[in-house]
Amino acid sequence: QVQLVESGGGLVQAGGSLRLSCAASGRSFSNYVMGWFRQAPGKEREFVAQIWSGGSTTYADSVKGRFTISRDNAKNTVYLQMNSLKPEDTAVYYCAAGSRVLGTAEYHYWGQGTQVTVSS
């Protein structure tokens, strides 16, 4: 069992930056693929970024070049550095932990989410 707690959300002006953190409890954090997702009001939850245990990363096209995902296995923490924020980045951001299933990530554990609001 893995418990995930996000922090770092808040209100920021367009063009600003925020860094989200997700602290994980439980065993074998380094073995999990870690992901960030977001859900805006009235919209489906969408993928933002993920980082595999070996450090390779994948990003949604909408955040590529602006967001950076990283992990610190010694601290059982995954981060999402968000730069050049836009109003359309406004959403609740969720951290997730999962495993590789048939070559893709399948997420089993989710955090409670942290609100990010970008004002224009």
Side-chain angles (χ1 to χ4, degrees), residues 10-71:
L11 173 64
V12 64
Q13 288 188 332
S17 298
L18 281 175
R19 188 175 83 153
L20 305 183
S21 299
C22 173
S25 62
R27 298 180 295 177
S28 304
F29 171 82
S30 61
N31 294 334
Y32 287 103
V33 56
M34 300 299 298
W36 286 97
F37 294 76
R38 66 187 182 187
Q39 187 167 19
K43 295 189 176 181
E44 297 287 318
R45 185 172 60 193
E46 64 175 2
F47 168 80
V48 175
Q50 69 186 18
I51 183 166
W52 295 92
S53 57
S56 61
T57 58
T58 308
Y59 296 92
D61 288 343
S62 60
V63 306
K64 207 171 290 183
R66 300 188 298 122
F67 291 10
T68 302
I69 188 171
S70 61
R71 65 192 298 161

Side-chain angles (χ1 to χ4, degrees), residues 1-2 4 32-33 96-101 105-110:
Q1 188 77 7
V2 176
L4 304 171
Y32 287 103
V33 56
S99 56
R100 186 188 296 269
V101 178
E106 184 172 295
Y107 289 95
H108 314 296
Y109 306 104
W110 295 84

